[in-house]
Amino acid sequence: MLRVAVVGSGPSGVFTAQALVGQESVPDVRVDVLDRLPCPYGLVRYGVAPDHEKIKSLQNTLCTALEHPRITFRGNVRVGEGPGAVAPGRLRELYHAVVYCVGAASARRLGIPGEDLPGSCSATDFVSWYSAHPDAAPGGFELPARSAVVIGVGNVAVDVARVLARGAEELRPTDVPHRALAALADSRVTDIHMVGRRGPSQAKFTSKELRELGALPGAQALVRAAEAELDPHWRDPSALPAAVRRNVEALQDWARRPPRDHGRRIHLRFFLRPVALLGEDAVRAVRFERTVPDGRGGVTGTGCFEEIEAQLVLRSVGYRGVPLPGLPFDPGSGTVPHAAGRVLRAGAPSPGEYVAGWIKRGPTGVIGTNRPCAKETVLSLLADAELLLARGALDDPGVRLRALGVDPVEWPGWLGIQAAEAALGRRLGRDKVKIPDWAGLLAAARAAG
């Protein structure tokens, strides 16, 4: 029997586990999917916006995989250093192989003055708040701001702009936590500025995400044609790839619309590079430098500046991996060095250690990109199976984890959390509502036995 630990229960981790038990070359593979959180599904549960029900339904696919008889989910297992954690070296003793699928948990910073002023935070923190991540700051967000600036033009930027622009009643049928729903109901935000340093044809959002902004019933998306025309593809996008062309065409349509005098406004701004957040006790504005295309796919500053009022700034400029104590790490790429998924130590493959997902390739691609990434790693692991099994049979890792003081939340505990969230929704007159704190999640898991 080949025992494998997969660290991380998001799509990359579950696809890895699924590929391991679905192959035929090594017939008896048992996989433990370990997660620091008591809940599975990673960013599908805690990163997908609550109003994206179709994407969130991927949980059903991940659930089917985790219910496979040779896959065991063990939540509330922290891998790393410190009290209660399992060091990678110790984990390696419990399993023939360990695959790390830990994602890219850190938000990139702007590196500009005023970035840490009150009222400025990463979009990741905002997403954690409305997704009920148990690590989110307990105070959450109040939304007295009139004007919000979202720095970035990717899908996460679109998500946070859309959530700010939606009415609370539109979000009420979702599983957004009740405190966040109340804050959004009291929100005074009237203007949301989503700002990119390059042009419309270089924005990273998908057409579907972008068009959702234009379909919000209580908000209007606006584009300044004179600004967008700096993009050489603005007037004639026909030579662009189809998905990018559709983005530009949608933005062209919005540029032709006259602004309404009611409802919230979403301003899509381009060719503006943030240089400072302004304010003393709290952010009051963002200073941008106007940029222009440099002819090589980038932009250059013009020395002209503009300030946009903002009492809330959400920074959405990407993610990067963070070092996991006990594993090698490349700070330049934010990934673990590897060869076809095999972890490299001092340039040589480390027997029994593998990576998949963002910690392997960086924060790129969509959810489906994790399937071929996981497959490559699994093929490497299976090619090493004879060497890995030379260690002989291993005892049940669950028993040894508990002997180390770990108290895993297994599948019945997760079902208990789901039942508690459904009961919470009924008490609040809503559908299922997420439990937002560690204590509540663990209590629900333990009550399920």
Side-chain angles (χ1 to χ4, degrees), residues 31-48:
V31 182
D32 283 2
V33 177
L34 312 179
D35 203 292
R36 184 179 67 87
L37 298 172
C39 307
Y41 311 141
L43 282 178
V44 177
R45 176 174 167 90
Y46 287 120
V48 175

Side-chain angles (χ1 to χ4, degrees), residues 81-395:
E81 292 180 341
V86 183
R90 179 58 62 87
L91 201 62
R92 183 70 183 82
E93 296 172 2
L94 304 183
Y95 296 90
H96 292 105
V98 182
V99 187
Y100 294 92
C101 307
V102 293
S106 176
R108 292 184 180 273
R109 291 179 59 82
L110 297 170
I112 61 175
E115 186 169 7
D116 295 319
L117 280 168
S120 166
C121 69
S122 72
T124 305
D125 289 342
F126 191 71
V127 171
S128 292
W129 170 68
Y130 68 59
S131 297
H133 196 294
D135 288 342
F141 285 78
E142 295 181 358
L143 299 171
R146 299 180 305 279
S147 177
V149 167
V150 180
I151 299 175
V153 284
N155 280 344
V156 174
V158 174
D159 280 348
V160 299
R162 189 183 65 254
V163 168
L164 281 170
R166 274 204 186 280
E169 285 307 307
E170 296 174 63
L171 291 170
R172 185 177 177 83
T174 74
D175 63 1
V176 67
H178 213 58
R179 179 180 292 182
L181 186 68
L184 290 165
D186 293 338
S187 169
R188 299 178 186 177
V189 174
T190 58
D191 290 271
I192 302 147
H193 307 263
M194 194 169 72
V195 188
R197 63 186 177 89
R198 298 194 292 179
S201 66
Q202 295 169 311
K204 299 299 184 183
F205 38 62
T206 59
S207 299
K208 178 181 180 298
E209 293 264 2
L210 179 65
R211 290 184 182 279
E212 286 178 330
L213 286 183
L216 297 176
Q220 182 181 19
L222 300 168
V223 175
R224 301 185 183 191
E227 183 174 80
E229 285 173 352
L230 293 170
D231 190 322
H233 298 287
W234 176 255
R235 291 187 178 276
D236 181 11
S238 59
L240 293 170
V244 180
R245 185 182 71 247
R246 289 193 292 269
N247 285 348
V248 174
E249 289 170 348
L251 294 167
Q252 288 174 330
D253 181 45
W254 297 348
R256 290 189 288 266
R257 297 180 184 178
R260 298 196 297 252
D261 58 2
H262 63 279
R264 289 177 171 143
R265 295 172 291 274
I266 305 169
H267 309 265
L268 284 90
R269 305 292 308 276
F270 298 98
F271 294 109
L272 292 171
R273 177 167 58 201
V275 295
L277 273 60
L278 308 178
E280 295 181 1
D281 298 328
V283 65
R284 63 169 179 80
V286 185
R287 177 176 292 156
F288 292 92
E289 182 183 16
R290 169 65 64 195
T291 62
V292 292
D294 64 6
R296 301 183 300 275
V299 293
T300 186
T302 64
C304 298
F305 298 89
E306 175 181 342
E307 293 180 9
I308 298 178
E309 176 193 356
Q311 297 82 38
L312 174 66
V313 176
L314 300 175
R315 310 181 306 270
S316 181
V317 291
Y319 299 89
R320 63 178 289 106
V322 297
L324 187 65
L327 280 185
F329 187 73
D330 178 359
S333 64
T335 61
V336 171
H338 72 93
R342 295 180 177 94
V343 172
L344 299 177
R345 293 183 182 270
S350 176
E353 293 185 309
Y354 305 85
V355 285
W358 278 4
I359 200 62
K360 171 186 173 184
R361 67 180 191 274
T364 60
V366 295
I367 289 174
T369 310
N370 289 296
R371 283 194 183 275
C373 176
K375 182 178 179 180
E376 179 189 56
T377 296
V378 167
L379 288 174
S380 293
L381 191 158
L382 294 174
D384 300 339
E386 184 176 354
L387 173 64
L388 299 173
L389 286 166
R391 293 174 58 194
L394 297 177
D395 296 335

Side-chain angles (χ1 to χ4, degrees), residues 48-87:
V48 175
D51 57 341
H52 272 178
E53 291 297 332
K54 185 174 182 180
I55 301 175
K56 288 172 72 69
S57 69
L58 177 62
Q59 292 185 27
N60 297 329
T61 301
L62 302 181
C63 172
T64 299
L66 290 175
E67 289 180 329
H68 189 283
R70 287 189 280 125
I71 296 176
T72 301
F73 171 72
R74 301 186 196 274
N76 196 38
V77 178
R78 185 163 62 88
V79 177
E81 292 180 341
V86 183

